[in-house]
């Protein structure tokens, strides 16, 4: 009898898998307990028995009023936290009436120009009762200042606010591109936000160090861990260099990871990242506060895996990815809509995505036990191998002078580009199967409804920001912006000046422009 040569089975990180795993494959596995250092098995002893993960659906489109309606709907359907998507002009510090914003207002998120818009966005939503995550980076200090100002309008003091601002500029240079200023002044803004929140907004997570967008750009699971934690190291070094105490700001650091299709690799990825960060904070930075050792993270299912072909199949992909996040111990989760390869999610798609989390939480049983795959020979071996390969990347980055220097040299960018190229080539050669794309295709016409943004929305938003400029107190506005620019040329913490500027109804674009005068603009590093 002849037998065929078995094809190698590889993970996304090109880790070759054995047909089965035995105790000798995981000799380093220890009888660790969840909730104990180094937190491989989770940061809480009972995990979801005590509290389920936050079901945080990412949403934002068109105007503040329309997004507010979507938030109220999601809250009524059982969402336990809000996650705000901002449009591209807001992300890169342009007002809606900027010529460079033409055609982009309200398209990939909500348009926010001023305190008036932010107040409408959260109208009727008590900010002392919800947790809000804001996916914003280059303009993160401005959007947080707007949120604080809206809270004050509601009678909610800053110490009662709870949420996260992404505030992760390094990954923008690596993978995403919504930067404004060069890296070094951008790090100043980040550490100013750290210091301000430590004193004024103590329950706020001051950064969400994002591997999500690194993975979306084509990185492997190993690269996602390595480059994300290397960014984290750079932020900790910058904060310590600015005189901040690692035991004070360390517990407010959070992370944001992707959940991809390879179920077991993803579970192992989350476990490896947790263990690595605990060692980094305790051994590399000498943190003595156990809270500073804990890697807390939000997860979003992988947008890059969603297909326009047979979009209903995306519900299955998203379920597998969400399952990986929960079994990997995430603290909050967003599940993508089935239609997001075609447009922004419709209300129906957003509801199904939320129901996916609710079925996992209340019907599947996966939330009943902490780290349910812990101790499995395969999972422990895969966790160790991912950690080994990610540490090798971090050592390479250290040898280049740290992540900032590595970015300036184009190292992580090149590595991600190569990984993305190899994946695409594998798909085109049918070595990697994508259901409905290169196998199991059907002739189809899209019958599912698609969310479309009315062009009239942009015109109306432009009129709103121009009307605001006409009626605000011009003296208070000019005084606040002049004070901000003067502070930017010095060494003062900029957050109080930014807060004063937004309360004088200075716009996101105007504040960003004043900082552009001082800091300049970043020019992308081209890598080959």
């Amino acid at each position: 009898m002849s037998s065929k040569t078995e094809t190698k089975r590889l993970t996304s990180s090109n880790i070759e898998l054995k047909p089965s795993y035995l105790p000798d494959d995981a000799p380093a596995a220890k009888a660790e307990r969840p909730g104990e250092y180094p937190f491989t098995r989770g940061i809480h002893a009972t995990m979801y028995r005590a509290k389920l993960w936050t079901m945080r659906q990412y949403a934002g489109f068109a105007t503040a009023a329309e997004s507010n309606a979507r938030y109220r709907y999601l809250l009524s359907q059982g969402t336990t936290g809000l996650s705000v998507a901002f449009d591209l002009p807001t992300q890169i510090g342009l007002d809606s009436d900027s010529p460079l914003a033409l055609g982009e207002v309200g398209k990939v998120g909500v348009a926010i120009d001023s305190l008036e818009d932010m107040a409408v966005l959260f109208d009727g939503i008590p900010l002392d009762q919800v947790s809000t995550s804001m996916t914003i980076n280059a303009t993160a200090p401005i959007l947080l200042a707007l949120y604080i100002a809206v809270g004050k309008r509601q009678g909610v003091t800053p110490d009662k606010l709870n949420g996260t601002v992404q505030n992760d500029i390094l990954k923008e240079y690596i993978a995403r591109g919504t930067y404004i200023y060069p890296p070094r002044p951008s790090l100043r803004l980040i550490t100013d936000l750290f210091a301000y929140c430590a004193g004024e907004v103590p329950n706020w997570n001051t950064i969400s160090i994002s591997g999500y967008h690194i993975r979306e750009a084509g990185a492997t699971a190993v690269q996602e861990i390595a480059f994300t934690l290397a960014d984290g190291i750079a932020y900790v070094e910058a904060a310590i260099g600015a005189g901040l105490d690692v035991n004070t700001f360390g517990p407010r650091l959070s992370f944001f990871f992707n959940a991809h299709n390879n179920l077991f690799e993803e579970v192992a990825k989350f476990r490896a990242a947790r263990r690595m960060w605990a060692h980094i904070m305790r051994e590399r930075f000498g943190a003595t506060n156990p809270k500073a050792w804990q890697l807390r993270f939000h997860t979003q299912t992988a947008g890059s895996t969603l297909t326009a072909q047979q979009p209903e199949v995306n519900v299955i992909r998203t379920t597998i990815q969400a399952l990986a996040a929960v079994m990997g111990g995430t603290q909050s989760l967003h599940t993508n809509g089935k239609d997001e390869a075609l447009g922004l999610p419709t209300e129906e798609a957003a509801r199904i995505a939320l129901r996916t989390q609710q079925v996992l939480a209340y019907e599947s049983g996966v939330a009943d036990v902490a780290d349910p795959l812990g101790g499995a020979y395969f999972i422990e071996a895969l966790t160790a191998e991912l950690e080994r390969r990610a540490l090798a990347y971090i050592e390479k980055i250290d040898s280049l002078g740290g992540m900032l220097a590595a970015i300036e040299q184009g190292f992580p960018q090149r590595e991600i580009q190569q990984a993305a190229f190899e994946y695409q080539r594998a798909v085109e050669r049918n070595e990697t199967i994508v259901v409905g794309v290169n196998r199991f295709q059907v002739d189809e016409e899209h019958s599912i409804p698609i969310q479309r943004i009315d062009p009239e929305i942009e015109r109306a938003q432009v009129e709103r920001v121009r009307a605001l400029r006409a009626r605000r107190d011009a003296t208070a506005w000019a005084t606040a912006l002049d004070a901000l620019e003067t502070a930017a040329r010095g060494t003062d913490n900029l957050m109080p000046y930014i807060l004063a500027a937004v309360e004088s109804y200075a716009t996101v674009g105007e504040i960003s422009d004043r900082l552009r005068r001082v800091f300049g603009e970043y020019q992308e590093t081209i890598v080959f």
Side-chain angles (χ1 to χ4, degrees):
M1 177 185 280
S2 63
S3 62
K4 293 182 179 180
T5 302
E6 185 173 327
T7 304
K8 287 182 178 180
R9 300 297 172 91
L10 303 172
T11 72
S12 79
S13 300
N14 291 318
I15 298 172
E16 185 174 350
L17 301 179
K18 299 179 180 182
S20 63
Y21 284 75
L22 299 171
D24 288 346
D25 295 310
K30 298 179 180 177
E32 296 177 0
R33 294 180 182 273
E36 296 182 1
Y37 181 88
F39 308 107
T40 311
R41 305 199 61 200
I43 62 171
H44 301 301
T46 58
M47 283 305 292
Y48 304 128
R49 283 192 177 199
K51 180 186 177 183
L52 286 173
W53 64 91
T54 301
M55 298 179 193
R56 189 187 298 282
Q57 287 303 109
Y58 184 53
F61 61 97
T63 65
E66 291 193 65
S67 292
N68 174 263
R70 176 65 64 86
Y71 295 157
R72 291 186 186 217
Y73 172 76
L74 289 170
L75 289 168
S76 75
Q77 294 298 306
T79 291
T80 54
L82 298 176
S83 186
V84 184
F86 297 96
D87 73 355
L88 186 58
T90 305
Q91 292 181 50
I92 58 176
L94 300 174
D95 287 332
S96 295
D97 63 343
S98 167
L100 295 176
L102 184 64
E104 292 293 340
V105 175
K107 287 293 178 64
V108 299
V110 61
I112 298 294
D113 290 312
S114 71
L115 179 54
E116 280 192 354
D117 291 332
M118 202 69 160
V120 171
L121 185 65
F122 291 102
D123 182 44
I125 299 173
L127 299 191
D128 56 346
Q129 296 177 34
V130 299
S131 169
T132 302
S133 172
M134 295 190 284
T135 302
I136 197 74
N137 297 283
T139 54
I142 305 172
L143 272 298
L144 178 57
L146 287 167
Y147 193 81
I148 292 169
V150 171
K152 290 165 71 175
R153 278 185 164 200
Q154 292 186 1
V156 178
T157 55
D159 62 300
K160 298 295 191 299
L161 298 175
N162 187 286
T164 303
V165 67
Q166 192 163 100
N167 197 29
D168 174 10
I169 200 64
L170 292 180
K171 66 94 173 49
E172 298 296 328
Y173 305 118
I174 295 170
R176 192 161 174 263
T178 62
Y179 42 69
I180 303 175
Y181 319 110
R184 296 182 193 279
S186 293
L187 283 176
R188 173 189 173 184
L189 288 169
I190 288 169
T191 55
D192 280 358
L193 193 151
F194 284 5
Y196 182 80
C197 287
E200 302 294 329
V201 202
N203 295 316
W204 197 263
N205 297 312
T206 52
I207 193 167
S208 178
I209 305 162
S210 176
Y212 182 84
H213 302 98
I214 290 171
R215 191 68 177 277
E216 289 289 278
T220 66
V222 165
Q223 290 170 341
E224 182 185 357
I225 301 170
F227 297 156
T228 305
L229 298 193
D231 283 348
I233 289 168
Y235 292 130
V236 173
E237 289 174 341
I240 292 172
L244 303 182
D245 180 2
V246 69
N247 291 303
T248 300
F249 73 80
R252 303 318 306 172
L253 303 178
S254 64
F255 289 79
F256 174 22
F257 287 112
N258 200 302
H260 229 263
N261 279 337
N262 191 312
L263 177 69
F264 297 116
E265 183 177 43
E266 293 302 292
V267 173
K269 178 188 76 179
F270 299 131
R271 299 173 89 251
R274 235 180 345 253
R275 184 159 71 201
M276 290 173 66
W277 188 246
H279 289 311
I280 287 167
M281 290 298 279
R282 190 168 85 164
E283 297 166 15
R284 181 166 182 153
F285 293 113
T288 56
N289 182 350
K291 292 289 187 183
W293 305 336
Q294 296 178 353
L295 183 146
R296 298 169 300 113
F297 66 99
H298 169 69
T299 309
Q300 181 174 338
T301 57
S304 62
T305 67
L306 303 179
T307 62
Q309 301 90 336
Q310 302 177 47
E312 296 83 359
V313 178
N314 292 329
V315 176
I316 303 163
R317 293 186 176 101
T318 298
T319 303
I320 292 169
Q321 295 161 7
L323 180 62
V326 172
M327 291 199 295
T330 193
Q331 276 63 67
S332 72
L333 177 61
H334 164 87
T335 33
N336 290 326
K338 64 181 180 180
D339 53 0
E340 290 190 52
L342 300 167
L344 292 174
T346 61
E347 191 171 277
E348 184 222 10
R351 184 177 66 252
I352 293 172
L354 176 59
R355 294 290 183 257
T356 301
Q357 296 199 46
Q358 291 165 336
V359 169
L360 287 175
Y362 298 106
E363 297 185 26
S364 72
V366 295
D368 293 342
V369 177
D371 190 31
L373 298 181
Y377 309 137
F378 175 41
I379 289 296
E380 297 296 350
L382 194 52
T383 300
E385 182 62 16
L386 286 164
E387 180 181 16
R388 184 187 68 80
R389 294 188 182 204
L391 284 172
Y393 260 122
I394 290 175
E395 289 172 3
K396 172 66 175 177
I397 290 166
D398 285 343
S399 74
L400 295 173
M403 195 49 151
L404 195 55
I407 290 168
E408 291 170 343
Q409 296 169 53
F411 171 69
Q413 298 96 306
R414 280 193 299 272
E415 292 293 301
I416 294 169
Q417 287 172 12
Q418 184 62 33
F421 170 74
E422 290 174 359
Y423 172 78
Q424 185 59 35
R425 185 167 58 179
V427 171
E428 291 171 358
R429 292 176 175 176
N430 288 330
E431 296 166 356
T432 294
I433 303 305
V434 181
V435 173
V437 175
N438 62 356
R439 193 177 292 185
F440 314 115
Q441 302 98 323
V442 296
D443 293 330
E444 59 183 323
E445 292 183 7
H446 295 307
S447 59
I448 65 172
I450 299 173
Q451 179 84 22
R452 300 190 187 278
I453 306 301
D454 185 347
E456 179 59 33
I457 284 169
E458 180 166 334
R459 290 189 286 273
Q461 183 66 20
V462 167
E463 290 175 7
R464 270 192 294 275
V465 70
R466 288 177 176 169
L468 169 73
R469 293 198 191 103
R471 66 174 178 270
R472 67 191 173 190
D473 183 330
T475 301
W477 163 78
T479 300
L481 284 179
D482 288 345
L484 171 63
E485 184 174 341
T486 300
R489 297 186 187 281
T491 59
D492 285 357
N493 188 307
L494 295 180
M495 280 300 299
Y497 297 94
I498 293 171
L499 181 59
V502 302
E503 290 183 322
S504 75
Y505 292 95
T507 64
V508 171
E510 291 165 345
I511 294 169
S512 300
D513 283 345
R514 287 300 183 105
L515 296 177
R516 283 184 177 96
R517 288 188 191 180
V518 181
F519 299 149
E521 292 187 281
Y522 177 71
Q523 300 300 314
E524 183 179 6
T525 300
I526 305 299
V527 297
F528 299 97

